[in-house]
Amino acid sequence: MFTFLFMTGLMATVALEVDGMATVTLEGVIGVKGHDLKNIDLPLRPTLTRSTGEVNGPALLRSLQKTLDKYHSTAISATSANSVNSANSVNSANSANSANPSLQPRLVTENLIDQVETPDFDEDYYGPIQVGSASEQVFTVQFDTGSSDIFIPGPQCTTQKGCPGTTKYDQAGLFQGRSTLVQYGSGYIQGDDYIDSITVAGLTVTDQGLISTTQTSGFNTSNSDGLLGMAFTSIAASGFTTFFENLIIQQKVAAPEFSFYLGRAASGTANQGSLCLGCRDPSKYTGSFTQVPVTEPGYWQILLQTVTVNNTPAGPHTQGQAIIDTGTTLVLAPTAAAYAIFDLIPNAFSIPSSAYSHQTFFAYPCATPYNYIPSIRFGGKSFDINQLDFNLGFLTSEFTRLLGNESLGNESLTVNREAEYEYGENCVAAIVGTNVSPQENLYVVGDAFLKNWYTTFNYVNAGGGPSVGFAEAV
C-alpha cells in the first residue's frame, strides 16, 4: 500500500495572491514569481563532448557505467531499519497536513551548479547542503531522483578509500550502531548510519538518516562530495526515510512536490539550474503541465507510450516504463526499442562493440534535421529531445577503439572504411540501447531529455497518487 494515501484530500488546484501580485494557479502547488527566491547552485558534470566537438569517450562510458551500476545494485544493511526511522515514517503522519498554508507564498529553491567542460556539455547537477545543528558542515551533493539514500564522506574515507574531498562528516549525529553496504556491478559504497539534521535551501529536517561513507570504489569522478536521493523511501538501501518525505512529514514545505530546472551550457543557462522544494518556479517554465501518474512508487516510474521520429511512431517495441532520473546523463532504451528508433533516422547506424556487448551505441549524421530527432510520448503528448542534448559529439576512431572495435578504430583505416563511417560527419547519439530490466521494457530517462522540460515530482496529484509533470523549460 502506498504510504501517501493520507494526502488524497488535497485540492488539485490552488490559487494565490500575495502582496497584490498577480495570481499564479498551478496544479497542486504554488510558486510566486519573484517572491523570496533562495537559489542553490548546481554546477555542471564533466563533459561528454571535447573542446574539438568530438565525443568524450571515457566520460561517456563512465557516465553509462555509473547508471548501470545504480540499477543493478544490491543493498546490505547490518540490521533492519531502527525505531527512529519507523517513528518518522509517513504512515505516522496520517493526521498531519501535507502542505503548510503559512509556507505557500514562499518559493524555496536551490540553485544547481552545472559541472561543465568545454564545449558546453552538461553532465552533473549538484548543490550545497548543511549537515548538523551545531557545526552546520557544508557538502555539495548530487540531487538524484534515481536513488533514495544520502551519502556524505566520513572521516575514515580518505582519498585512497575513494573520497578525494577535504570536508569530512564530523559524525556529531547519533550513530545507529550499524552500517550499510551497497554493492554495484563495478564498485561499492559502504558507510555507517547516522541520524542528524540536514538543511537544503533553508529548509531543515531534524532526525534525518544519512550514511557516513567509510570507503567507496568507482564513484569519485564527480565534483560533488556525495549524493542526496530523491526517489521513494521504499528503495532506500539504509531503510531511512528520504529527505523530502521527511520535509512533508515535518510540514516544512508548502506542497508535497519538488521541481527541477536543469541548465544547458550551450544555451547560456548553465548557472541557472535550480531545485524547487515544495514549489514550482514560474520563471523557469512556460505553458501548462502534463501530469503523468507514477505506475510503481519506488522510482519515479511512469508509462512511456511510444517514441516518435518525424511524427512516426517507432513501433510497439518502444512502449514501456520509464524511470525519470536526474542523476543520469543519457537516455537508456531497451535494445529492441533503440534499434526501432534509429531505423527511422536517415543514415543512422549502430556502432559495433566487443567491449560493451550488452550496450548498443548509435551514430547519425550530424546535419540531421531537427524533426528527425526523437520525441518521447508521455500522457498523450510528445516531448522533444533538444538537438543540442541529443548530440554527444563527433564519432571518432578513439571512441570506436574504446568500444573494442579495432577494425573501426584503427588509424590506418582504408579509404572505404573512412568513407563508410565518415568520422567528423557522424555524431554519437544520447540514446543508448541496453536492457536495464529483462522483465519489462524499461527506459531510464535522464538529463539529455530533462534539460528541455521543467519537471515536477508530485506525491499527490489530482487522482490522489504520485505523478511526474512536464512543462516547457525556458
Side-chain angles (χ1 to χ4, degrees):
M1 177 68 68
F2 182 51
T3 56
F4 284 88
L5 291 179
F6 75 92
M7 295 184 213
T8 57
L10 276 183
M11 290 187 297
T13 304
V14 185
L16 180 68
E17 185 169 325
V18 179
D19 299 333
M21 299 172 116
T23 299
V24 180
T25 302
L26 301 176
E27 296 173 3
V29 66
I30 294 171
V32 182
K33 186 178 293 187
H35 190 80
D36 196 20
L37 281 172
K38 293 186 176 181
N39 292 325
I40 281 184
D41 295 328
L42 303 180
L44 297 182
R45 323 176 185 193
T47 182
L48 301 189
T49 309
R50 299 190 187 281
S51 58
T52 58
E54 299 172 340
V55 64
N56 185 335
L60 169 56
L61 295 177
R62 283 196 304 269
S63 178
L64 173 63
Q65 190 62 57
K66 176 182 173 183
T67 298
L68 294 174
D69 284 344
K70 179 163 63 175
Y71 291 102
H72 296 129
S73 63
T74 302
I76 303 172
S77 185
T79 61
S80 61
N82 61 20
S83 59
V84 174
N85 185 53
S86 297
N88 275 348
S89 70
V90 177
N91 277 332
S92 71
N94 282 346
S95 61
N97 293 323
S98 59
N100 187 332
S102 66
L103 299 179
Q104 287 183 349
R106 187 163 171 251
L107 189 59
V108 183
T109 64
E110 277 285 324
N111 291 336
L112 304 181
I113 302 166
D114 192 357
Q115 185 176 315
V116 181
E117 194 174 302
T118 54
D120 307 333
F121 192 91
D122 323 296
E123 191 193 335
D124 270 325
Y125 298 84
Y126 56 89
I129 65 171
Q130 292 81 45
V131 179
S133 56
S135 57
E136 292 188 345
Q137 291 183 284
V138 177
F139 297 90
T140 58
V141 298
Q142 182 182 2
F143 295 97
D144 179 19
T145 61
S147 64
S148 297
D149 290 287
I150 299 175
F151 290 96
I152 56 174
Q156 304 98 318
C157 197
T158 61
T159 299
Q160 292 74 21
K161 291 185 177 180
C163 300
T166 57
T167 303
K168 309 294 183 183
Y169 178 45
D170 60 14
Q171 297 186 333
L174 180 63
F175 178 49
Q176 299 300 288
R178 66 178 192 186
S179 63
T180 295
L181 169 64
V182 183
Q183 294 179 327
Y184 298 90
S186 62
Y188 64 89
I189 297 178
Q190 184 172 5
D192 297 325
D193 295 354
Y194 279 81
I195 297 291
D196 211 331
S197 64
I198 292 184
T199 301
V200 181
L203 300 179
T204 300
V205 165
T206 57
D207 297 329
Q208 175 62 53
L210 61 89
I211 300 170
S212 174
T213 305
T214 54
Q215 56 184 332
T216 181
S217 174
F219 297 92
N220 58 356
T221 59
S222 172
N223 288 342
S224 62
D225 298 311
L227 180 144
L228 190 149
M230 302 191 76
F232 294 84
T233 291
S234 59
I235 64 168
S238 62
F240 286 129
T241 302
T242 65
F243 173 78
F244 191 79
E245 289 179 23
N246 270 329
L247 282 178
I248 296 172
I249 293 165
Q250 298 178 20
Q251 300 186 61
K252 299 292 181 69
V253 287
E257 71 175 13
F258 57 88
S259 307
F260 276 91
Y261 174 83
L262 303 183
R264 180 188 295 113
S267 299
T269 59
N271 295 320
Q272 297 175 28
S274 67
L275 166 62
C276 199
L277 297 172
C279 51
R280 304 175 189 183
D281 186 345
S283 70
K284 301 295 188 182
Y285 66 89
T286 184
S288 60
F289 280 83
T290 298
Q291 296 293 148
V292 187
V294 169
T295 56
E296 187 176 340
Y299 297 109
W300 291 95
Q301 183 173 319
I302 60 178
L303 175 65
L304 187 153
Q305 294 168 312
T306 190
V307 178
T308 61
V309 176
N310 194 28
N311 294 320
T312 301
H317 285 303
T318 62
Q319 185 178 41
Q321 296 287 312
I323 296 171
I324 309 302
D325 185 0
T326 59
T328 292
T329 305
L330 305 165
V331 174
L332 305 187
T335 302
Y339 274 101
I341 293 165
F342 284 93
D343 279 347
L344 295 179
I345 301 176
N347 300 313
F349 56 92
S350 61
I351 305 171
S353 169
S354 59
Y356 292 83
S357 58
H358 296 294
Q359 290 80 47
T360 305
F361 296 87
F362 294 86
Y364 68 103
C366 302
T368 294
Y370 185 83
N371 54 300
Y372 282 97
I373 304 302
S375 298
I376 303 176
R377 184 177 294 274
F378 295 117
K381 179 178 178 179
S382 288
F383 296 87
D384 297 337
I385 299 176
N386 193 295
Q387 199 162 18
L388 295 171
D389 307 319
F390 187 68
N391 182 352
L392 299 184
F394 297 125
L395 175 64
T396 64
S397 58
E398 177 202 35
F399 182 57
T400 56
R401 280 199 302 275
L402 287 172
L403 297 183
N405 194 311
E406 295 299 327
S407 63
L408 282 180
N410 195 314
E411 293 293 350
S412 60
L413 291 170
T414 64
V415 174
N416 288 339
R417 181 66 75 181
E418 287 276 14
E420 181 180 353
Y421 286 94
E422 296 182 288
Y423 294 123
E425 300 293 330
N426 288 306
C427 289
V428 179
I431 294 179
V432 176
T434 186
N435 293 321
V436 175
S437 171
Q439 288 78 37
E440 60 183 337
N441 253 19
L442 184 63
Y443 293 74
V444 179
V445 177
D447 304 341
F449 171 85
L450 296 173
K451 280 182 282 186
N452 219 31
W453 304 99
Y454 189 83
T455 306
T456 292
F457 300 81
N458 191 318
Y459 281 83
V460 186
N461 66 11
S467 67
V468 178
F470 302 106
E472 184 178 354
V474 298

